[in-house]
């Protein structure tokens, strides 16, 4: 229930105008984490004795770690890439987008 309330609260902010298109990465991160939660729920209902199986425990831990890593890169990947490999071009784009967002009143 708490997860659904949190998701509804965050979806309210999806309509907020962003200067750097962060909403695309956040939506992808929500999708990835939703799939991981669905997989965890599936395993817990299909195999209620999953803690007794080393293979299933390792599978769940690996899936959770992979989904968190993928969600982080979905949100931060573009910014990290631009700051690392296109620093000066990205800095100019970022300043222009920030000024446009400020003038639009967001």
């Amino acid at each position: 229930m708490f997860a659904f309330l949190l998701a509804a609260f965050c979806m309210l902010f999806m309509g907020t105008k962003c200067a750097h298109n962060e909403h695309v990465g956040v939506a992808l991160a929500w999708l990835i984490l939703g799939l991981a939660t669905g997989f965890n729920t599936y395993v817990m209902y299909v195999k209620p004795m999953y803690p007794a199986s080393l293979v299933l425990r390792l599978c769940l831990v690996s899936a959770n770690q992979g989904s968190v890593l993928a969600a982080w890169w979905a949100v931060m990947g573009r910014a990290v890439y631009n700051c690392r490999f296109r620093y000066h071009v990205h800095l100019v784009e970022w300043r222009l987008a920030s000024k446009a967002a400020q003038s639009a009143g967001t």
Side-chain angles (χ1 to χ4, degrees):
M1 178 71 173
F2 178 73
F4 290 117
L5 290 174
L6 181 63
F9 180 71
C10 290
M11 291 305 279
L12 290 174
F13 292 106
M14 295 298 282
T16 304
K17 292 181 182 177
C18 298
H20 307 289
N21 289 331
E22 298 94 353
H23 62 281
V24 175
V26 172
L28 183 60
W30 273 104
L31 177 68
I32 292 168
L33 294 176
L35 290 174
T37 303
F39 178 68
N40 283 329
T41 304
Y42 174 76
V43 169
M44 287 181 191
Y45 281 113
V46 171
K47 298 280 189 180
M49 292 298 295
Y50 81 93
S53 171
L54 178 65
V55 174
L56 282 176
R57 284 193 327 241
L58 289 175
C59 182
L60 279 178
V61 169
S62 299
N64 289 338
Q65 290 294 321
S67 63
V68 167
L69 184 65
W72 188 87
W73 278 107
V75 174
M76 296 299 296
R78 182 175 174 217
V80 169
Y81 175 80
N82 284 333
C83 287
R84 179 68 177 106
F85 297 109
R86 301 178 57 232
Y87 179 74
H88 296 292
V89 175
H90 178 63
L91 185 62
V92 171
E93 291 172 354
W94 186 77
R95 285 183 180 160
L96 291 174
S98 295
K99 286 180 184 177
Q102 286 177 356
S103 66
T106 57

